[in-house]
Amino acid sequence: MNDRIERQQEIKAPVSRVWRALADHREFGDWFRVKLTAPFQIGQVSTGHVTYPGFEHVPWKTIIQQIEPERLFSFTWHPHAIETSVDYSEEATTLVEFRLEPTLEGTLLSVTESGFSELPLHRRDEAMSKNKTGWREQMENIARHISSHP
């Protein structure tokens, strides 16, 4: 089984601008469609709720793993954990890593989500399928957000 999702997006903006869209919790929330309660801090839980239409009932909970300014931002979470009646806390998490590289045109933003093989078998395929689609959409969202908020 493939254990990871990888996506890349060329964004016509400097690394510093793309970094701000990732690392500032308010900007992240704008394009990711999540309302976060506090700034990101390494080792801390980031909480809030999803604002994507139809999923407003879904809580947001990640643990921030790394913040290397203008290079790497990562967190762990329970992928596609959208059923509020289910306790996902005992399940394995996946690792989401955003990496930034300068290019001649601006910034190459890469996202990798790994660890799907550790998820419970009954959730594994659906979580990976939904997140493949989701990351395609989110990479378009961040590019659109940055182009409309230079």
Side-chain angles (χ1 to χ4, degrees):
M1 170 191 186
N2 186 0
D3 188 48
R4 67 182 45 235
I5 298 167
E6 296 176 294
R7 296 269 182 249
Q8 292 186 325
Q9 181 79 37
E10 178 90 28
I11 300 175
K12 293 185 186 218
V15 168
S16 59
R17 175 63 191 101
V18 178
W19 177 254
R20 192 172 79 232
L22 283 172
D24 179 278
H25 74 289
R26 290 172 301 252
E27 269 205 64
F28 183 96
D30 285 345
W31 64 266
F32 203 91
R33 296 184 178 175
V34 62
K35 175 79 170 152
L36 300 173
T37 58
F40 298 126
Q41 292 184 17
I42 296 173
Q44 298 298 307
V45 177
S46 173
T47 60
H49 69 276
V50 175
T51 60
Y52 188 88
F55 293 89
E56 296 91 340
H57 65 284
V58 177
W60 165 272
K61 183 177 177 184
T62 64
I63 299 175
I64 305 306
Q65 299 298 316
Q66 293 179 284
I67 300 174
E68 296 178 23
E70 299 191 6
R71 194 174 101 51
L72 172 66
F73 175 67
S74 69
F75 57 82
T76 53
W77 69 349
H78 296 284
H80 195 62
I82 62 170
E83 299 297 326
T84 56
S85 62
V86 175
D87 178 7
Y88 298 97
S89 64
E90 297 300 315
E91 287 186 10
T93 58
T94 55
L95 174 65
V96 175
E97 298 174 294
F98 291 96
R99 296 184 184 276
L100 296 87
E101 296 176 40
T103 66
L104 293 176
E105 297 287 322
T107 304
L108 180 64
L109 176 62
S110 302
V111 64
T112 303
E113 183 174 9
S114 60
F116 287 93
S117 63
E118 301 301 316
L119 298 180
L121 190 56
H122 70 279
R123 285 195 357 92
R124 193 175 300 161
D125 289 342
E126 183 176 19
M128 187 162 207
S129 174
K130 295 293 185 182
N131 282 19
K132 276 184 182 179
T133 301
W135 286 121
R136 185 177 309 114
E137 183 178 333
Q138 293 295 18
M139 293 296 266
E140 292 168 3
N141 286 349
I142 190 172
R144 194 169 30 257
H145 172 81
I146 290 169
S147 70
S148 64
H149 301 87

